[in-house]
């Protein structure tokens, strides 16, 4: 196998890890939005004042990073899209779901005064 093909396969695995991590974070975000909606007691104005699109985007992006990092640390010479099991794909989603808390917690230690959501 040539280095170019290997690089392309590894990149695709990282990309798959990132996309599935972002999807896992979207699941987490959906739960958070439901809780926010319930706390707003149906008031659209209150929901809109508490909702932040930039925070939502940042959260999904952090999920992408967590999934991609998980794929990176799982990388093996024979790792390719075709070799990924269902459990591995679910693991990438779980990394995005849970890993966002880890990354946000780490970032809050670097920048004092900020708190994770």
């Amino acid at each position: 196998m040539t280095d170019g093909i290997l690089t392309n396969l590894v990149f695709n695995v990282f990309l798959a890890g990132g996309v599935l991590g972002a999807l896992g974070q979207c699941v987490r975000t959906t739960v958070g939005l439901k809780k926010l909606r319930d706390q707003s007691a149906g008031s659209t104005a209150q929901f809109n004042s508490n909702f932040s699109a930039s925070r939502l985007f940042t959260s999904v992006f952090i999920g992408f990073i967590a999934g991609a990092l998980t794929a990176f640390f799982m990388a093996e010479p024979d790792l390719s899209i075709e070799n990924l099991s269902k459990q591995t794909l679910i693991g990438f989603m779980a990394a995005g779901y849970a890993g966002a808390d880890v990354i946000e917690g780490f970032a809050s230690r670097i920048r004092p005064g900020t708190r994770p959501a």
Side-chain angles (χ1 to χ4, degrees), residues 18 21-22 25 54-67 100 103:
Q25 184 62 20
S54 63
R55 195 167 185 186
L56 174 69
F57 176 77
T58 302
S59 181
V60 172
F61 183 70
I62 288 172
F64 180 92
I65 298 292
I103 292 172

Side-chain angles (χ1 to χ4, degrees), residues 1-79:
M1 186 178 291
T2 65
D3 287 338
I5 293 172
L6 179 62
T7 303
N8 191 27
L9 288 174
V10 170
F11 175 76
N12 286 337
V13 171
F14 293 157
L15 185 62
V19 168
L20 289 169
L23 182 62
Q25 184 62 20
C26 284
V27 169
R28 179 177 178 255
T29 301
T30 301
V31 172
L33 287 173
K34 171 73 170 106
K35 287 170 74 174
L36 180 62
R37 178 59 123 184
D38 291 347
Q39 289 173 353
S40 299
S43 170
T44 305
Q46 186 178 4
F47 177 82
N48 289 342
S49 67
N50 290 329
F51 175 76
S52 170
S54 63
R55 195 167 185 186
L56 174 69
F57 176 77
T58 302
S59 181
V60 172
F61 183 70
I62 288 172
F64 180 92
I65 298 292
L69 284 174
T70 300
F72 173 76
F73 288 117
M74 290 181 59
E76 297 175 6
D78 63 340
L79 187 64

